[in-house]
């Protein structure tokens, strides 16, 4: 496990992002949507820096059917409580990889007629894209490697690590 983006680097990128978001939304009604579970720490840190008294917090959880032949076969395991029609919506995600998950979510949310719909992701794996997704804000970009920590998991482990770490291959002799 090798730290790739440290707590301090993450915090600095989130402060920059929050400044942009504050300039865009000001005090207009805004629904900030956390994509569970991976984005939870990023979301918690980000929303504390948003100076908008009209922010509403809401949560979705999505599951992809990894066994299915259709990479776009995704569904909600938890949907929003909030009616987003006519409101600004900011989706907060951990990693955009192939893009299938966010393509599904955006198609679904767009049909509910929000005033605007934007995507902020902690990490953008741009070069892995299969489905078209517009990433409005990305704190970090990554070309290769599997990362854990700061909300991100490997089989539900490592979410509570404070840094974002790369999972390295076990070495030849089997030690980590
Ligand atoms: P997509 O539909 O391929 O874009 O899948 C994105 C989802 O895969 C993210 O929400 C993450 O939960 C997960 N994911 C992709 N890459 C990583 C990684 O490096 N570490 C942890 N989760 C990842
Ligand atoms: Mg995720």
């Amino acid at each position: 496990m090798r730290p790739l983006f440290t707590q301090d680097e993450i915090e600095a990128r989130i402060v920059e992002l929050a400044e942009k978001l504050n300039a865009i939304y000001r005090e207009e009604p805004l629904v900030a949507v956390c994509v569970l579970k991976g984005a939870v720490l990023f979301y918690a840190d980000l929303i504390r820096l948003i100076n908008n008294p009209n922010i509403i917090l809401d949560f979705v959880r999505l599951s992809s059917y990894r066994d299915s032949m259709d990479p776009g076969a995704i569904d909600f395991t938890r949907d929003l409580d909030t009616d987003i029609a006519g409101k600004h919506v900011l989706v907060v995600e951990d990693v955009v990889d192939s893009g299938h998950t966010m393509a599904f979510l955006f198609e679904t949310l767009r049909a509910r007629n929000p005033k605007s719909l934007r995507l902020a992701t902690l990490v953008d794996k741009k070069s892995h894209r299969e489905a078209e997704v517009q990433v409005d804000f990305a704190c970090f970009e990554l070309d290769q490697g599997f990362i854990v920590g700061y909300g991100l998991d490997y089989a539900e482990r490592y979410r509570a690590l404070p840094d974002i770490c790369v999972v390295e291959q076990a070495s030849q002799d089997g030690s980590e």
Side-chain angles (χ1 to χ4, degrees):
M1 211 75 77
R2 176 173 58 83
L4 180 66
F5 306 124
T6 64
Q7 278 181 83
D8 289 349
E9 289 170 317
I10 296 166
E11 190 190 339
R13 297 314 310 267
I14 293 177
V15 168
E16 287 171 18
L17 173 58
E19 282 170 6
K20 289 183 199 163
L21 297 174
N22 284 324
I24 292 172
Y25 297 114
R26 298 175 184 277
E27 301 201 345
E28 294 183 42
L30 169 66
V31 184
V33 176
C34 176
V35 182
L36 296 171
K37 299 178 186 173
V40 71
L41 299 187
F42 174 40
Y43 182 81
D45 286 340
L46 180 64
I47 57 172
R48 273 181 274 197
L49 300 174
I50 308 236
N51 307 318
N52 184 340
N54 298 311
I55 190 170
I56 289 171
L57 312 190
D58 211 337
F59 303 85
V60 293
R61 185 142 198 231
L62 300 157
S63 68
S64 54
Y65 302 97
R66 295 283 179 206
D67 298 339
S68 157
M69 294 300 286
D70 174 7
I74 291 161
D75 209 352
F76 286 100
T77 51
R78 187 201 189 279
D79 199 346
L80 294 175
D81 294 328
T82 316
D83 177 4
I84 61 171
K87 301 188 186 93
H88 293 295
V89 174
L90 176 70
V91 172
V92 181
E93 169 65 314
D94 57 354
V95 183
V96 182
D97 189 18
S98 71
H100 290 295
T101 309
M102 286 303 103
F104 164 81
L105 181 64
F106 271 63
E107 189 184 307
T108 309
L109 298 185
R110 206 170 284 119
R112 300 178 187 176
N113 300 313
K115 185 168 183 185
S116 71
L117 185 55
R118 292 187 179 90
L119 174 57
T121 188
L122 183 61
V123 176
D124 189 358
K125 292 187 171 179
K126 239 182 192 166
S127 57
H128 293 202
R129 211 70 97 240
E130 293 170 12
E132 197 185 322
V133 176
Q134 185 183 326
V135 174
D136 298 285
F137 310 99
C139 292
F140 301 99
E141 286 185 12
L142 188 66
D143 281 339
Q144 56 181 34
F146 194 84
I147 50 180
V148 296
Y150 195 66
L152 313 187
D153 73 309
Y154 172 68
E156 292 300 326
R157 295 183 65 196
Y158 312 115
R159 289 194 196 273
L161 295 177
D163 301 320
I164 297 176
C165 300
V166 179
V167 181
E168 295 190 319
Q169 300 282 342
S171 62
Q172 299 277 325
D173 64 4
S175 60
E176 296 213 339

